Amino acid sequence: MVAIGGGTGLSMLLRGLKHCVARRRQELERHPISDLAAVVTVTDDGGSSGRLRREYRVLPPGDIRNCMVALSQDEALLGRLFQYRFHEGRGLRGHSFGNLFLTALSHVTGDFAEAVRVSGEVLAIRGRIFPTTLANVSLEAVMTDGKVVLGETRIARSGKKIRHLGLRPRRVRPLPEVLEAIRQANLILIGPGSLYTSILPNLLVSGVAEAIENSSATRVLIANLMTQPGETQDYSLADHVRAIYNHTRRKFIDWVVASNQGVSPEVARRYRKRGAEPVRVDIKDLQRIGVRCLLDNLLEEHGVVRHNAARLSQLLVEEFIVRHPPSN
């Protein structure tokens, strides 16, 4: 299984899936995932990750750190250590221990991908984690008003609708292990996560979308629960799929998995004030573009709207591994 994304969406998904990963072949009956690979975007330029990226010329470690903690066996201790954030101290304030650890280790090993691998061993993660590319890449968006905005943070804060998203530099090499993981996958999961700042940055790296299109795996887009102000305002689920197809110039999504549980009126009002609404699941439109839809109650509310990681991972395993086992 390969999971592609970034931000909180990917780490949420991995937190649920790790309980289905077999450590040994004898466990496959109870834990049906023999190998789980996470492919993580590296375009973040804000917060602690952005500071380390600028000051130490390393790839942004934040999303990868979150995925490591999500896949770790001991989230209670080592996971808390990696997530520990310094609240004071000149130069330290705002940094998390895990970000500093990955930055230091990448300098010691001379290889960010190797630093990620070794850190995964320290945390005893159930799976593998790969940055999509080792290139120092940034996002560039052309807005509907013609303005060009550079950088993930500026794009997210602009509040404007995006006409087109690209990478700078335009062509960057993927990590070879990413393409190999996609080639070997029986199931490829995309999302959930910000369409323009977590999902598309992975798919725009040279060769990644092509590898997914050529894969014989079942390819599933996990729908976001809410739209994002500016980025995906007024987008239906089919609009999300079309945006992926338009940017990659490839069609490769077999299924979308979405929640059919409505958001409570109180929480919906709070989100509406910020310009966000539940993503509309337009099944007929999805069918017209050749995508099948699987619905279930995947919503969890605690003042904010989130996916229920346990229910989502259980649905994915039951539907795409147990009921319809991959043929390749």
mmCIF file of all heavy atoms in Angstrom, residues 156 158-161 225-236 240 266-280:
data_model
loop_
_atom_site.group_PDB
_atom_site.id
_atom_site.type_symbol
_atom_site.label_atom_id
_atom_site.label_comp_id
_atom_site.label_asym_id
_atom_site.label_seq_id
_atom_site.Cartn_x
_atom_site.Cartn_y
_atom_site.Cartn_z
ATOM 1 N N ALA A 156 -1.475 29.694 0.595
ATOM 2 C CA ALA A 156 -2.533 29.321 1.533
ATOM 3 C C ALA A 156 -3.167 30.535 2.179
ATOM 4 O O ALA A 156 -4.368 30.537 2.483
ATOM 5 C CB ALA A 156 -1.963 28.388 2.602
ATOM 6 N N SER A 158 -3.362 33.609 0.826
ATOM 7 C CA SER A 158 -3.828 34.613 -0.137
ATOM 8 C C SER A 158 -5.348 34.764 -0.134
ATOM 9 O O SER A 158 -5.872 35.849 -0.376
ATOM 10 C CB SER A 158 -3.359 34.258 -1.548
ATOM 11 O OG SER A 158 -4.062 33.131 -2.035
ATOM 12 N N GLY A 159 -6.044 33.665 0.155
ATOM 13 C CA GLY A 159 -7.505 33.713 0.151
ATOM 14 C C GLY A 159 -8.101 33.845 -1.236
ATOM 15 O O GLY A 159 -9.305 34.030 -1.396
ATOM 16 N N LYS A 160 -7.255 33.718 -2.270
ATOM 17 C CA LYS A 160 -7.724 33.854 -3.651
ATOM 18 C C LYS A 160 -7.862 32.486 -4.302
ATOM 19 O O LYS A 160 -7.240 31.525 -3.882
ATOM 20 C CB LYS A 160 -6.748 34.709 -4.465
ATOM 21 C CG LYS A 160 -6.628 36.144 -3.980
ATOM 22 C CD LYS A 160 -5.655 36.915 -4.856
ATOM 23 C CE LYS A 160 -5.548 38.373 -4.391
ATOM 24 N NZ LYS A 160 -4.612 39.138 -5.246
ATOM 25 N N LYS A 161 -8.685 32.435 -5.341
ATOM 26 C CA LYS A 161 -8.846 31.183 -6.076
ATOM 27 C C LYS A 161 -7.656 30.949 -6.992
ATOM 28 O O LYS A 161 -7.130 31.884 -7.593
ATOM 29 C CB LYS A 161 -10.138 31.210 -6.886
ATOM 30 C CG LYS A 161 -11.381 30.911 -6.058
ATOM 31 C CD LYS A 161 -12.529 30.522 -6.956
ATOM 32 C CE LYS A 161 -13.666 29.962 -6.128
ATOM 33 N NZ LYS A 161 -14.770 29.462 -6.969
ATOM 34 N N LEU A 225 -13.197 16.577 3.938
ATOM 35 C CA LEU A 225 -14.511 16.789 4.534
ATOM 36 C C LEU A 225 -15.029 18.202 4.268
ATOM 37 O O LEU A 225 -16.233 18.394 4.081
ATOM 38 C CB LEU A 225 -14.443 16.546 6.042
ATOM 39 C CG LEU A 225 -14.058 15.125 6.467
ATOM 40 C CD1 LEU A 225 -13.745 15.086 7.955
ATOM 41 C CD2 LEU A 225 -15.174 14.148 6.133
ATOM 42 N N MET A 226 -14.119 19.176 4.261
ATOM 43 C CA MET A 226 -14.506 20.584 4.105
ATOM 44 C C MET A 226 -13.709 21.218 2.966
ATOM 45 O O MET A 226 -12.581 20.805 2.674
ATOM 46 C CB MET A 226 -14.231 21.364 5.401
ATOM 47 C CG MET A 226 -14.844 20.762 6.658
ATOM 48 S SD MET A 226 -16.656 20.752 6.662
ATOM 49 C CE MET A 226 -17.013 22.515 6.809
ATOM 50 N N THR A 227 -14.299 22.237 2.352
ATOM 51 C CA THR A 227 -13.554 23.031 1.376
ATOM 52 C C THR A 227 -12.602 23.958 2.127
ATOM 53 O O THR A 227 -12.728 24.162 3.336
ATOM 54 C CB THR A 227 -14.496 23.878 0.511
ATOM 55 O OG1 THR A 227 -15.202 24.809 1.354
ATOM 56 C CG2 THR A 227 -15.483 23.004 -0.251
ATOM 57 N N GLN A 228 -11.651 24.542 1.393
ATOM 58 C CA GLN A 228 -10.703 25.476 1.996
ATOM 59 C C GLN A 228 -10.904 26.859 1.385
ATOM 60 O O GLN A 228 -10.983 26.982 0.151
ATOM 61 C CB GLN A 228 -9.263 25.008 1.761
ATOM 62 C CG GLN A 228 -8.920 23.787 2.585
ATOM 63 C CD GLN A 228 -7.455 23.437 2.458
ATOM 64 O OE1 GLN A 228 -7.061 22.750 1.523
ATOM 65 N NE2 GLN A 228 -6.644 23.902 3.383
ATOM 66 N N PRO A 229 -10.995 27.863 2.243
ATOM 67 C CA PRO A 229 -11.214 29.224 1.738
ATOM 68 C C PRO A 229 -10.181 29.581 0.671
ATOM 69 O O PRO A 229 -8.985 29.358 0.843
ATOM 70 C CB PRO A 229 -11.045 30.098 2.983
ATOM 71 C CG PRO A 229 -11.347 29.179 4.130
ATOM 72 C CD PRO A 229 -10.867 27.831 3.703
ATOM 73 N N GLY A 230 -10.674 30.105 -0.448
ATOM 74 C CA GLY A 230 -9.777 30.495 -1.531
ATOM 75 C C GLY A 230 -9.378 29.305 -2.376
ATOM 76 O O GLY A 230 -9.756 29.205 -3.538
ATOM 77 N N GLU A 231 -8.677 28.346 -1.789
ATOM 78 C CA GLU A 231 -8.125 27.225 -2.552
ATOM 79 C C GLU A 231 -9.199 26.389 -3.237
ATOM 80 O O GLU A 231 -9.154 26.154 -4.441
ATOM 81 C CB GLU A 231 -7.291 26.317 -1.634
ATOM 82 C CG GLU A 231 -5.958 26.926 -1.233
ATOM 83 C CD GLU A 231 -5.077 25.907 -0.516
ATOM 84 O OE1 GLU A 231 -5.016 24.755 -0.964
ATOM 85 O OE2 GLU A 231 -4.452 26.281 0.490
ATOM 86 N N THR A 232 -10.158 25.897 -2.463
ATOM 87 C CA THR A 232 -11.177 25.007 -3.040
ATOM 88 C C THR A 232 -12.591 25.474 -2.719
ATOM 89 O O THR A 232 -13.515 24.671 -2.656
ATOM 90 C CB THR A 232 -10.986 23.560 -2.542
ATOM 91 O OG1 THR A 232 -11.025 23.552 -1.103
ATOM 92 C CG2 THR A 232 -9.659 22.984 -3.022
ATOM 93 N N GLN A 233 -12.746 26.749 -2.512
ATOM 94 C CA GLN A 233 -14.079 27.291 -2.212
ATOM 95 C C GLN A 233 -15.054 26.949 -3.343
ATOM 96 O O GLN A 233 -14.747 27.116 -4.515
ATOM 97 C CB GLN A 233 -13.998 28.808 -2.038
ATOM 98 C CG GLN A 233 -15.208 29.419 -1.377
ATOM 99 C CD GLN A 233 -14.933 30.853 -0.934
ATOM 100 O OE1 GLN A 233 -13.792 31.295 -0.920
ATOM 101 N NE2 GLN A 233 -15.988 31.560 -0.577
ATOM 102 N N ASP A 234 -16.217 26.427 -2.965
ATOM 103 C CA ASP A 234 -17.275 26.035 -3.907
ATOM 104 C C ASP A 234 -16.918 24.782 -4.712
ATOM 105 O O ASP A 234 -17.664 24.419 -5.628
ATOM 106 C CB ASP A 234 -17.625 27.178 -4.883
ATOM 107 C CG ASP A 234 -18.075 28.429 -4.160
ATOM 108 O OD1 ASP A 234 -18.783 28.297 -3.139
ATOM 109 O OD2 ASP A 234 -17.740 29.538 -4.616
ATOM 110 N N TYR A 235 -15.833 24.099 -4.393
ATOM 111 C CA TYR A 235 -15.469 22.877 -5.117
ATOM 112 C C TYR A 235 -16.344 21.711 -4.652
ATOM 113 O O TYR A 235 -16.499 21.472 -3.453
ATOM 114 C CB TYR A 235 -14.011 22.496 -4.842
ATOM 115 C CG TYR A 235 -12.982 23.120 -5.741
ATOM 116 C CD1 TYR A 235 -13.104 24.441 -6.156
ATOM 117 C CD2 TYR A 235 -11.864 22.402 -6.159
ATOM 118 C CE1 TYR A 235 -12.132 25.018 -6.960
ATOM 119 C CE2 TYR A 235 -10.892 22.975 -6.961
ATOM 120 C CZ TYR A 235 -11.036 24.292 -7.357
ATOM 121 O OH TYR A 235 -10.087 24.862 -8.154
ATOM 122 N N SER A 236 -16.884 20.972 -5.612
ATOM 123 C CA SER A 236 -17.495 19.683 -5.303
ATOM 124 C C SER A 236 -16.387 18.632 -5.307
ATOM 125 O O SER A 236 -15.231 18.925 -5.654
ATOM 126 C CB SER A 236 -18.549 19.335 -6.344
ATOM 127 O OG SER A 236 -17.918 19.093 -7.601
ATOM 128 N N HIS A 240 -12.602 18.455 -7.372
ATOM 129 C CA HIS A 240 -11.284 18.055 -6.867
ATOM 130 C C HIS A 240 -10.615 17.091 -7.852
ATOM 131 O O HIS A 240 -9.427 17.235 -8.168
ATOM 132 C CB HIS A 240 -11.410 17.378 -5.498
ATOM 133 C CG HIS A 240 -11.629 18.317 -4.356
ATOM 134 N ND1 HIS A 240 -12.825 18.957 -4.137
ATOM 135 C CD2 HIS A 240 -10.799 18.724 -3.352
ATOM 136 C CE1 HIS A 240 -12.731 19.713 -3.048
ATOM 137 N NE2 HIS A 240 -11.507 19.585 -2.558
ATOM 138 N N GLU A 266 -24.077 23.806 14.297
ATOM 139 C CA GLU A 266 -23.222 24.738 15.036
ATOM 140 C C GLU A 266 -21.807 24.789 14.448
ATOM 141 O O GLU A 266 -21.242 25.867 14.224
ATOM 142 C CB GLU A 266 -23.151 24.325 16.510
ATOM 143 C CG GLU A 266 -22.297 25.263 17.355
ATOM 144 C CD GLU A 266 -22.156 24.780 18.793
ATOM 145 O OE1 GLU A 266 -22.908 23.862 19.191
ATOM 146 O OE2 GLU A 266 -21.281 25.315 19.495
ATOM 147 N N VAL A 267 -21.240 23.615 14.202
ATOM 148 C CA VAL A 267 -19.889 23.551 13.632
ATOM 149 C C VAL A 267 -19.895 24.072 12.197
ATOM 150 O O VAL A 267 -18.974 24.785 11.777
ATOM 151 C CB VAL A 267 -19.339 22.116 13.697
ATOM 152 C CG1 VAL A 267 -18.013 21.996 12.934
ATOM 153 C CG2 VAL A 267 -19.145 21.681 15.142
ATOM 154 N N ALA A 268 -20.943 23.761 11.434
ATOM 155 C CA ALA A 268 -21.048 24.244 10.053
ATOM 156 C C ALA A 268 -21.073 25.768 10.013
ATOM 157 O O ALA A 268 -20.434 26.380 9.153
ATOM 158 C CB ALA A 268 -22.300 23.674 9.397
ATOM 159 N N ARG A 269 -21.788 26.397 10.946
ATOM 160 C CA ARG A 269 -21.831 27.872 10.999
ATOM 161 C C ARG A 269 -20.449 28.443 11.269
ATOM 162 O O ARG A 269 -20.047 29.452 10.669
ATOM 163 C CB ARG A 269 -22.815 28.323 12.082
ATOM 164 C CG ARG A 269 -24.271 28.323 11.654
ATOM 165 C CD ARG A 269 -25.135 29.098 12.627
ATOM 166 N NE ARG A 269 -25.111 28.514 13.965
ATOM 167 C CZ ARG A 269 -25.943 27.568 14.382
ATOM 168 N NH1 ARG A 269 -26.875 27.095 13.555
ATOM 169 N NH2 ARG A 269 -25.865 27.098 15.612
ATOM 170 N N ARG A 270 -19.716 27.795 12.181
ATOM 171 C CA ARG A 270 -18.375 28.277 12.528
ATOM 172 C C ARG A 270 -17.444 28.213 11.313
ATOM 173 O O ARG A 270 -16.679 29.132 11.052
ATOM 174 C CB ARG A 270 -17.821 27.436 13.686
ATOM 175 C CG ARG A 270 -16.608 28.057 14.359
ATOM 176 C CD ARG A 270 -16.132 27.198 15.500
ATOM 177 N NE ARG A 270 -17.213 26.854 16.404
ATOM 178 C CZ ARG A 270 -17.382 25.641 16.923
ATOM 179 N NH1 ARG A 270 -16.555 24.663 16.607
ATOM 180 N NH2 ARG A 270 -18.376 25.399 17.747
ATOM 181 N N TYR A 271 -17.526 27.118 10.570
ATOM 182 C CA TYR A 271 -16.701 26.979 9.365
ATOM 183 C C TYR A 271 -17.140 27.955 8.281
ATOM 184 O O TYR A 271 -16.309 28.510 7.554
ATOM 185 C CB TYR A 271 -16.778 25.538 8.835
ATOM 186 C CG TYR A 271 -15.762 24.604 9.457
ATOM 187 C CD1 TYR A 271 -16.039 23.938 10.643
ATOM 188 C CD2 TYR A 271 -14.518 24.401 8.860
ATOM 189 C CE1 TYR A 271 -15.110 23.079 11.219
ATOM 190 C CE2 TYR A 271 -13.587 23.537 9.427
ATOM 191 C CZ TYR A 271 -13.884 22.882 10.608
ATOM 192 O OH TYR A 271 -12.955 22.040 11.168
ATOM 193 N N ARG A 272 -18.459 28.171 8.159
ATOM 194 C CA ARG A 272 -18.971 29.056 7.111
ATOM 195 C C ARG A 272 -18.464 30.480 7.296
ATOM 196 O O ARG A 272 -18.213 31.188 6.313
ATOM 197 C CB ARG A 272 -20.510 29.027 7.117
ATOM 198 C CG ARG A 272 -21.140 29.493 5.801
ATOM 199 C CD ARG A 272 -22.643 29.318 5.822
ATOM 200 N NE ARG A 272 -23.010 27.914 5.969
ATOM 201 C CZ ARG A 272 -23.714 27.418 6.980
ATOM 202 N NH1 ARG A 272 -24.134 28.215 7.959
ATOM 203 N NH2 ARG A 272 -24.010 26.134 7.032
ATOM 204 N N LYS A 273 -18.309 30.896 8.544
ATOM 205 C CA LYS A 273 -17.785 32.240 8.813
ATOM 206 C C LYS A 273 -16.365 32.399 8.281
ATOM 207 O O LYS A 273 -15.928 33.505 7.974
ATOM 208 C CB LYS A 273 -17.797 32.514 10.321
ATOM 209 C CG LYS A 273 -19.190 32.758 10.885
ATOM 210 C CD LYS A 273 -19.138 33.022 12.385
ATOM 211 C CE LYS A 273 -20.535 33.228 12.955
ATOM 212 N NZ LYS A 273 -20.502 33.428 14.438
ATOM 213 N N ARG A 274 -15.630 31.286 8.178
ATOM 214 C CA ARG A 274 -14.258 31.322 7.659
ATOM 215 C C ARG A 274 -14.215 31.015 6.167
ATOM 216 O O ARG A 274 -13.130 30.896 5.589
ATOM 217 C CB ARG A 274 -13.382 30.317 8.413
ATOM 218 C CG ARG A 274 -13.370 30.517 9.923
ATOM 219 C CD ARG A 274 -12.117 29.946 10.541
ATOM 220 N NE ARG A 274 -11.945 28.534 10.260
ATOM 221 C CZ ARG A 274 -12.244 27.551 11.103
ATOM 222 N NH1 ARG A 274 -12.776 27.846 12.282
ATOM 223 N NH2 ARG A 274 -12.039 26.297 10.784
ATOM 224 N N GLY A 275 -15.403 30.830 5.562
ATOM 225 C CA GLY A 275 -15.452 30.577 4.121
ATOM 226 C C GLY A 275 -15.307 29.128 3.729
ATOM 227 O O GLY A 275 -14.978 28.820 2.579
ATOM 228 N N ALA A 276 -15.551 28.200 4.670
ATOM 229 C CA ALA A 276 -15.435 26.768 4.396
ATOM 230 C C ALA A 276 -16.788 26.092 4.543
ATOM 231 O O ALA A 276 -17.566 26.427 5.439
ATOM 232 C CB ALA A 276 -14.424 26.122 5.342
ATOM 233 N N GLU A 277 -17.042 25.120 3.686
ATOM 234 C CA GLU A 277 -18.281 24.360 3.722
ATOM 235 C C GLU A 277 -17.987 22.882 3.476
ATOM 236 O O GLU A 277 -16.926 22.542 2.935
ATOM 237 C CB GLU A 277 -19.250 24.869 2.657
ATOM 238 C CG GLU A 277 -19.748 26.289 2.908
ATOM 239 C CD GLU A 277 -20.776 26.723 1.886
ATOM 240 O OE1 GLU A 277 -20.895 26.050 0.840
ATOM 241 O OE2 GLU A 277 -21.446 27.752 2.123
ATOM 242 N N PRO A 278 -18.924 21.988 3.842
ATOM 243 C CA PRO A 278 -18.709 20.570 3.544
ATOM 244 C C PRO A 278 -18.546 20.351 2.041
ATOM 245 O O PRO A 278 -19.237 20.969 1.233
ATOM 246 C CB PRO A 278 -19.993 19.900 4.059
ATOM 247 C CG PRO A 278 -20.499 20.824 5.120
ATOM 248 C CD PRO A 278 -20.145 22.203 4.646
ATOM 249 N N VAL A 279 -17.618 19.480 1.671
ATOM 250 C CA VAL A 279 -17.407 19.160 0.258
ATOM 251 C C VAL A 279 -18.629 18.394 -0.250
ATOM 252 O O VAL A 279 -19.025 17.383 0.325
ATOM 253 C CB VAL A 279 -16.127 18.317 0.066
ATOM 254 C CG1 VAL A 279 -16.013 17.847 -1.388
ATOM 255 C CG2 VAL A 279 -14.899 19.118 0.463
ATOM 256 N N ARG A 280 -19.216 18.896 -1.327
ATOM 257 C CA ARG A 280 -20.413 18.271 -1.893
ATOM 258 C C ARG A 280 -20.018 17.029 -2.687
ATOM 259 O O ARG A 280 -19.167 17.091 -3.570
ATOM 260 C CB ARG A 280 -21.135 19.282 -2.789
ATOM 261 C CG ARG A 280 -22.412 18.774 -3.432
ATOM 262 C CD ARG A 280 -23.196 19.939 -4.015
ATOM 263 N NE ARG A 280 -22.350 20.822 -4.791
ATOM 264 C CZ ARG A 280 -22.097 20.650 -6.094
ATOM 265 N NH1 ARG A 280 -22.624 19.628 -6.736
ATOM 266 N NH2 ARG A 280 -21.329 21.500 -6.743
#
